Amino acid sequence: MRELIHQVIDWIYPPRCMACHNPLPLQDTARRKLWLCVYCEKLFISLETPGCSICSAPISEGVETCASCYGKNFSFIHNRSGFAYEGLVRDLIRDIKFRQRKYVAQGLGRLWATFLKDSIPKDTILVPLPMHEKKRRRRGFDQAQIIAHAISEATGIKTANVLERTQNTPPQSGLHPQQRIENVKGAFRIKEKDASLVARQNIVLIDDIYTTGASLNECAKVLKISEAAHVYAMTLAIAIKESDTQDDDDAN
């Protein structure tokens, strides 16, 4: 009966590509999970590696770190991003954040996971960067959790929501890098019941966008204080510093 109900719903409201909004074939389960038609999937080009040794932003040949990361100390070892935060990727992430389109987060997470299947060590735990409860209730979901779950499905690596956001901080948009650091200082903690899950574990923090990494770094500090062995970061997209994308960092 449930399957029949789903078929009727799909017939009335056929699933559509999250990019071009054309109907997806009802029989193509893979397309429907990605929320992408075969044509639009080709528009997604993953970032070439290696980039900056810290944030993964594209850099000139022979340079190890980008200007934004040079000389700074980070509590995570490095970030790896799937796509540049521009064009179609930027539009779709805005659909998630400002139009509450949960299915876009699911589709992007699953798409990104196809590039990651063999690149994450198995002895790690995926930890999504948490959204404050008030903001999560307004949006109806936490996109970092959805993305982490998609990666977990593709790789078999477990997720653990061990972090919580204790302060409903103002958006990072419009703040310069030092203000961003101060804005999220003390805004995260390990859930008391999950403290034992962190000690001596290798952690991969998951989020949607990397710009300055202020929130990711604050979370990494908390994890290291709780004796995590190594902390890495992975973000769906990275804002390229030469573009005008500086205003969206860690906005959740």
Side-chain angles (χ1 to χ4, degrees):
M1 176 61 74
R2 181 177 298 178
E3 181 63 27
L4 178 59
I5 292 173
H6 284 304
Q7 289 177 5
V8 171
I9 292 174
D10 285 346
W11 182 77
I12 299 173
Y13 305 104
R16 294 178 178 271
C17 173
M18 63 181 172
C20 69
H21 307 296
N22 287 324
L24 297 170
L26 294 179
Q27 293 77 24
D28 195 334
T29 304
R31 292 281 133 220
R32 293 171 62 190
K33 288 188 70 174
L34 285 176
W35 293 93
L36 269 177
C37 69
V38 66
Y39 305 105
C40 289
E41 185 176 357
K42 296 175 183 178
L43 300 176
F44 290 85
I45 301 174
S46 61
L47 286 174
E48 295 183 4
T49 54
C52 170
S53 61
I54 301 297
C55 72
S56 82
I59 52 176
S60 302
E61 186 175 351
V63 177
E64 185 175 350
T65 59
C66 69
S68 295
C69 294
Y70 183 77
K72 296 179 182 177
N73 294 319
F74 293 89
S75 293
F76 56 86
I77 295 172
H78 58 65
N79 170 69
R80 292 296 176 260
S81 295
F83 309 99
Y85 182 60
E86 57 190 19
L88 179 59
V89 171
R90 176 172 175 151
D91 291 344
L92 290 172
I93 291 178
R94 285 178 175 272
D95 280 346
I96 297 170
K97 292 192 171 190
F98 305 122
R99 299 180 182 89
Q100 292 78 46
R101 292 178 176 168
K102 181 178 179 180
Y103 71 93
V104 176
Q106 294 169 333
L108 285 178
R110 289 163 182 162
L111 177 67
W112 185 30
T114 64
F115 296 99
L116 300 175
K117 287 183 178 179
D118 302 316
S119 61
I120 308 177
K122 298 299 180 182
D123 61 338
T124 58
I125 298 174
L126 306 177
V127 174
L129 190 145
M131 180 183 292
H132 192 271
E133 181 61 22
K134 287 184 178 179
K135 189 173 289 185
R136 190 196 66 77
R137 285 200 303 268
R138 283 200 307 269
R139 186 168 297 165
F141 59 89
D142 185 329
Q143 68 269 14
Q145 288 185 8
I146 292 172
I147 294 168
H149 181 68
I151 297 171
S152 178
E153 282 186 329
T155 62
I157 299 172
K158 294 182 179 180
T159 63
N161 297 321
V162 299
L163 288 169
E164 62 182 349
R165 195 165 192 143
T166 59
Q167 300 174 25
N168 190 17
T169 56
Q172 298 279 69
S173 58
L175 303 180
H176 64 64
Q178 186 58 40
Q179 288 176 320
R180 293 169 187 257
I181 294 171
E182 294 299 324
N183 190 42
V184 296
K185 190 173 183 179
F188 303 93
R189 69 183 177 193
I190 304 291
K191 296 176 183 177
E192 186 175 349
K193 64 182 180 63
D194 294 329
S196 62
L197 298 177
V198 173
R200 298 178 296 281
Q201 296 295 324
N202 295 322
I203 305 292
V204 179
L205 283 165
I206 303 293
D207 201 13
D208 54 358
I209 308 173
Y210 186 106
T211 304
T212 65
S215 295
L216 288 166
N217 199 46
E218 188 67 19
C219 287
K221 288 179 183 179
V222 171
L223 290 165
K224 293 295 290 183
I225 290 172
S226 295
E227 301 183 348
H230 299 96
V231 181
Y232 305 86
M234 296 183 69
T235 55
L236 178 65
I238 182 167
I240 307 303
K241 306 304 188 294
E242 291 77 12
S243 70
D244 61 349
T245 54
Q246 294 280 358
D247 62 348
D248 285 282
D249 175 46
D250 303 333
N252 272 333

